[in-house]
Amino acid sequence: MSSAFESFVAVHQYQLASIPEDLWQPLFMKLGEDYLDAGSVMELHQGDPVDGYSLHIKQGASLEKYSDIFLVDHAWTTSAEMAKKELRENPALLDRVENLINVEKEEWVDDNDSDSDVEHDDEVIRMVAEQANVSYDKAKAALEEENYEVLNAITNLTLDPEFKKQSDALQEQVMGQLIASGKAQEKEEKVNKEKEELKQKRLAEWMTRRIDTVYEHMWSYVQSYSYAVLQTDGQSATKTALYINDEVGSALCHSSTPNMACVPFIFSRGATGMIPYSVMFPLESIKEGELVTCDMVPKALTDDLQRTAYRFALEQRINPSGADAVTDADRTKLMDAYRSHAVAPKAAHGQVLATKAAYIDYVSSKNKSDGSVSVFTDVDALRSSVTLAQIKWVDDASKANIAWTRKAADSDNKLGLSNHLANDACLTSLDGLAKLVRATYGDAAWFPTTYDLRSALGAYVGDVLQQNEQAGAWIVKPSDASGHGRIASGIAEVVRQIDLPSPVVAQHYVPQPCLYNGKKFTLQFVAVLRQYQPGAPALAALYRRFWVRLANKKYLKDQADDDRDAHLLDSPIGAYQMTQLDHASFTRNMEKEHSIQWPDVQASIQQVIQDVLGAASSQAQPLGLGDKEENTDAFGVYMFDLTLTASFQPVLFRVHDAADGAWLCKHDKDLPNRVLSVVDGRFGGVEKALDEFVVLGSN
């Protein structure tokens, strides 16, 4: 039977690989007792050398390389989506995190309490005394009695004593009658209720300000680890947890030549669960009084420019007089990277798309129907929606004339006509789309500035520095369409997305959107791209009908950044419920509300989609779809997400792969039939089906 230590090593072998083997036994012992003993040799300093807390070796103590290992507790584990909610629900956590990340707490000031603290200077009191012809003390007392209402105080002081006596008696009589009738109590209760409502509103605003400040600053302190979860469909998915270390771990400073290592360690207690820690061990000899540092830049970032850019997320944790402090030369280098990235290259493409006549001639001559067309699909909604008379469903993809599948088949699986174009990630991944647009059109007005943070982190930071943070907000979102976008709180949050296991991009937020009855909207257009002959232009057909997703709340310029109901941020197809509008009524109402001609707007939208598909078709792989001959007989169905600026100019921010036809079937039962009829002449009626589309680039 193996010992407890041997079992520990077996269970945690992958995590232990980054820890010297001599430290495994002491780590095992400390974990078993939850023994947090860093304070025996280390202490916190404040304002030395950073503004917040820093960690130093105690006087009379020292550490040798690999001589010991220390546990660090995780004060808070969260996610970007849940952080603000958790802080709002747990005021004690908010207080602690403010202290951990060196955020000065905004004190609560109650207006009702502050009223009694109002003081006027001698000049005001002397003015009242002079106007009322009374003493200084009497004027001051009158001001206090009248809650420092100057006119009321003067009036009270200047009334004739007999008249004042009669006035007070009348007031007492009226108040007695009001009290007897209950109206005075009602008024008092109403006033108190209004005061309480105002107080609660101010409390909520106060909490929001504190939470927003913590959220923005926490990105200089959070660390992360990834873990796998089993989904309901049996597939595993990778999740990322954000955490902030306790007072010891949060006091570590960054250095590119660290004297301490600090890594997350998830301790498995078997049936009793898992406990997350961080563990620290010295990488070299550390003397008494010395600052304790670790390298907080991800090891994957080996490029000097990328590492320099990353340090902008850690400025609060860098010794301002040390070698890692950000310098003017660093800023210049990053701004140079931005300017190089922003240079618009010359268009190097033919942007040739097939004409309607040429395509019809081709499919009519090649696709001769023998009465049935065999189709394979793994999309149940398609089987139940497609009603073409010639269709024959088959269960073996290798025996199908057409395969419409959620994912592309393996390269060695020889299919007939496939619904997956080779390398269509140049359209459906944001980093691929951004590279395609930049290489073809440079800085296109209809595509927001978008940075692939894995390759252009330096250019992004240089952009922010060049614009002096006046360029507006940025959205961070997955490069693919697997997750939701969110408005970033600042440069640190954007930079720290590089820590995540999946590619993330930063995309400029459209600052002045066109609104529909005060709400933001997204226009969704479906396009078919059909490759049909090596070297021949592809057919690009845009469906005439489009869909409108309307935000659930009205948009205001000072809207909270995390108010998804108002901002209508990027989401996977069907992942977030928004109001769906009929496109015909939408266009009518837009023309009335904004005094525009919708055909002009739609023509500009069609031009954007044509430019994108034309670039993809003509640019060689891996930038575009062109040149390679494998899988030439193929088509793709794509959904373009666009919005309009306040000047009614289209802005494209995402292209989705609509291979999972469930959404198409749900929202337009005729669309799958029309797509199949367009891409394969064996169904007959190609020309009729194309009448429901606009053939882009066609003369």
Side-chain angles (χ1 to χ4, degrees):
M1 175 179 269
S2 62
S3 67
F5 174 67
E6 289 171 337
S7 297
F8 165 76
V9 172
V11 170
H12 302 88
Q13 56 182 311
Y14 297 110
Q15 297 185 82
L16 290 169
S18 62
I19 300 172
E21 190 170 352
D22 289 347
L23 296 177
W24 293 3
Q25 185 76 46
L27 173 61
F28 170 67
M29 299 298 293
K30 290 185 179 184
L31 286 168
E33 300 176 9
D34 190 29
Y35 189 45
L36 306 173
D37 64 334
S40 62
V41 291
M42 289 173 264
E43 63 186 7
L44 300 179
H45 291 189
Q46 189 170 25
D48 171 29
V50 295
D51 289 341
Y53 290 104
S54 56
L55 194 63
H56 298 253
I57 301 298
K58 281 184 172 181
Q59 294 297 316
S62 65
L63 286 171
E64 298 301 319
K65 181 178 180 179
Y66 300 162
S67 61
D68 206 345
I69 192 165
F70 305 96
L71 299 184
V72 176
D73 197 15
H74 288 182
W76 180 34
T77 301
T78 187
S79 66
E81 294 75 22
M82 295 299 297
K84 289 186 178 182
K85 181 176 184 291
E86 291 168 358
L87 291 170
R88 190 175 300 278
E89 293 174 349
N90 192 337
L93 173 65
L94 177 59
D95 288 342
R96 186 182 183 191
V97 174
E98 283 176 324
N99 184 61
L100 286 170
I101 66 175
N102 191 36
V103 167
E104 184 177 356
K105 178 180 177 180
E106 178 187 339
E107 294 301 325
W108 165 250
V109 178
D110 191 332
D111 278 351
N112 292 331
D113 294 339
S114 64
D115 286 346
S116 60
D117 298 331
V118 175
E119 292 186 3
H120 287 276
D121 57 26
D122 284 348
E123 185 177 346
V124 174
I125 298 173
R126 293 184 190 283
M127 184 268 291
V128 171
E130 181 181 348
Q131 292 290 326
N133 196 24
V134 296
S135 68
Y136 178 94
D137 290 338
K138 197 169 183 178
K140 183 178 180 182
L143 279 167
E144 290 174 350
E145 183 180 349
E146 295 297 335
N147 201 24
Y148 293 94
E149 291 288 344
V150 174
L151 290 177
N152 289 348
I154 293 174
T155 301
N156 198 15
L157 287 167
T158 55
L159 279 176
D160 178 83
E162 186 61 30
F163 180 77
K164 185 174 185 299
K165 183 178 180 181
Q166 294 175 5
S167 176
D168 289 343
L170 179 60
Q171 185 174 2
E172 273 188 45
Q173 181 181 355
V174 172
M175 286 302 298
Q177 292 173 350
L178 285 172
I179 291 171
S181 68
K183 290 183 179 180
Q185 183 177 355
E186 287 179 16
K187 182 177 180 181
E188 183 179 1
E189 289 175 352
K190 181 180 179 182
V191 169
N192 290 337
K193 182 181 178 181
E194 290 174 349
K195 284 184 177 180
E196 182 61 25
E197 288 175 350
L198 181 60
K199 179 180 178 180
Q200 292 304 317
K201 180 182 177 183
R202 292 183 61 251
L203 268 171
E205 292 171 346
W206 172 67
M207 285 291 288
T208 297
R209 288 193 301 273
R210 290 178 62 197
I211 290 167
D212 287 347
T213 301
V214 165
Y215 183 86
E216 180 178 357
H217 284 77
M218 78 179 194
W219 293 98
S220 294
Y221 290 83
V222 294
Q223 303 297 324
S224 65
Y225 59 84
S226 298
Y227 58 97
V229 295
L230 193 63
Q231 301 181 115
T232 55
D233 60 1
Q235 301 295 314
S236 64
T238 300
K239 300 289 185 180
T240 299
L242 305 177
Y243 65 92
I244 291 181
N245 283 316
D246 64 11
E247 283 72 9
V248 171
S250 292
L252 285 165
C253 287
H254 164 74
S255 173
S256 57
T257 55
N259 53 27
M260 187 76 73
C262 184
V263 295
F265 193 92
I266 313 304
F267 178 41
S268 174
R269 286 184 173 271
T272 58
M274 311 237 254
I275 303 176
Y277 291 97
S278 293
V279 295
M280 300 192 308
F281 53 89
L283 298 173
E284 59 183 41
S285 297
I286 315 177
K287 300 176 182 178
E288 65 176 35
E290 196 171 339
L291 179 70
V292 181
T293 63
C294 67
D295 189 353
M296 299 178 188
V297 178
K299 289 183 173 59
L301 290 184
T302 56
D303 179 78
D304 286 343
L305 185 69
Q306 299 282 77
R307 289 182 63 85
T308 300
Y310 194 93
R311 295 208 309 272
F312 275 81
L314 306 172
E315 282 192 279
Q316 298 179 60
R317 306 184 70 179
I318 296 176
N319 182 352
S321 60
D324 287 280
V326 176
T327 65
D328 289 341
D330 291 331
R331 291 182 171 85
T332 299
K333 184 167 57 173
L334 291 165
M335 286 189 285
D336 287 344
Y338 156 68
R339 285 189 283 267
S340 297
H341 188 273
V343 173
K346 294 181 180 179
H349 74 294
Q351 208 223 71
V352 177
L353 293 170
T355 65
K356 181 176 180 180
Y359 177 72
I360 291 174
D361 287 345
Y362 174 81
V363 294
S364 299
S365 62
K366 182 182 178 183
N367 297 142
K368 302 293 185 181
S369 175
D370 61 357
S372 66
V373 183
S374 57
V375 179
F376 170 82
T377 187
D378 57 3
V379 181
D380 292 338
L382 277 177
R383 278 184 177 262
S384 58
S385 298
V386 175
T387 58
L388 295 170
Q390 299 90 340
I391 201 161
K392 177 184 177 183
W393 297 107
V394 296
D395 296 325
D396 186 348
S398 64
K399 297 179 180 178
N401 301 126
I402 303 173
W404 187 323
T405 56
R406 288 186 174 88
K407 295 182 179 179
D410 295 336
S411 58
D412 59 350
N413 187 7
K414 304 300 182 182
L415 299 175
L417 178 62
S418 167
N419 70 316
H420 292 281
L421 299 173
N423 195 49
D424 70 351
C426 69
L427 292 171
T428 59
S429 70
L430 271 175
D431 58 321
L433 180 61
K435 289 172 184 174
L436 174 67
V437 172
R438 284 199 57 77
T440 310
Y441 303 107
D443 189 13
W446 44 262
F447 188 70
T449 302
T450 302
Y451 292 100
D452 175 7
L453 296 177
R454 296 171 303 174
S455 60
L457 183 64
Y460 160 73
V461 174
D463 189 340
V464 176
L465 296 174
Q466 180 72 32
Q467 307 297 332
N468 197 23
E469 301 193 14
Q470 300 302 312
W474 293 85
I475 305 173
V476 290
K477 57 177 77 173
S479 180
D480 60 19
S482 61
H484 299 284
R486 68 178 184 275
I487 299 177
S489 59
I491 190 172
E493 180 176 0
V494 176
V495 169
R496 295 303 300 276
Q497 303 311 302
I498 203 77
D499 298 1
L500 302 181
S502 300
V504 176
V505 302
Q507 189 173 77
H508 199 250
Y509 183 75
V510 178
Q512 293 179 311
C514 177
L515 303 178
Y516 177 89
N517 193 25
K519 296 180 179 180
K520 292 184 68 176
F521 58 85
T522 298
L523 307 177
Q524 296 183 308
F525 285 80
V526 172
V528 177
L529 190 62
R530 173 73 159 93
Q531 290 179 335
Y532 59 91
Q533 194 174 19
L539 174 84
L542 182 66
Y543 198 46
R544 293 185 183 277
R545 180 184 175 187
F546 63 91
W547 288 265
V548 184
R549 294 171 67 239
L550 187 66
N552 295 330
K553 289 171 60 176
K554 291 197 172 184
Y555 172 79
L556 303 173
K557 284 189 176 181
D558 57 351
Q559 203 86 42
D561 287 347
D562 56 349
D563 192 342
R564 181 171 292 277
D565 283 337
H567 284 292
L568 195 59
L569 298 173
D570 199 8
S571 301
I573 295 178
Y576 193 72
Q577 294 302 314
M578 292 287 179
T579 304
Q580 296 279 350
L581 293 182
D582 172 66
H583 74 287
S585 60
F586 169 81
T587 56
R588 286 196 302 270
N589 292 333
M590 281 288 289
E591 289 182 330
K592 290 179 182 178
E593 181 177 352
H594 296 289
S595 300
I596 59 173
Q597 296 297 314
W598 184 257
D600 295 338
V601 176
Q602 183 144 343
S604 63
I605 292 172
Q606 290 175 4
Q607 186 62 53
V608 167
I609 297 173
Q610 176 179 321
D611 287 347
V612 172
L613 294 178
S617 299
S618 58
Q619 293 283 19
Q621 297 182 31
L623 187 62
L625 301 166
D627 281 2
K628 297 289 182 69
E629 292 191 6
E630 63 266 23
N631 203 25
T632 298
D633 199 21
F635 70 97
V637 184
Y638 304 101
M639 179 179 291
F640 287 71
D641 283 357
L642 304 99
T643 190
L644 299 176
T645 67
S647 57
F648 313 109
Q649 298 304 306
V651 176
L652 170 69
F653 54 87
R654 171 78 78 177
V655 180
H656 299 273
D657 181 0
D660 184 346
W663 190 94
L664 304 178
C665 298
K666 177 182 177 181
H667 292 280
D668 189 332
K669 61 183 180 61
D670 295 321
L671 182 52
N673 289 319
R674 289 167 176 163
V675 170
L676 287 171
S677 296
V678 164
V679 300
D680 197 312
R682 286 170 290 196
F683 290 109
V686 174
E687 189 167 1
K688 181 180 178 182
L690 280 173
D691 287 342
E692 302 298 329
F693 294 79
V694 176
V695 178
L696 302 175
S698 181
N699 296 323

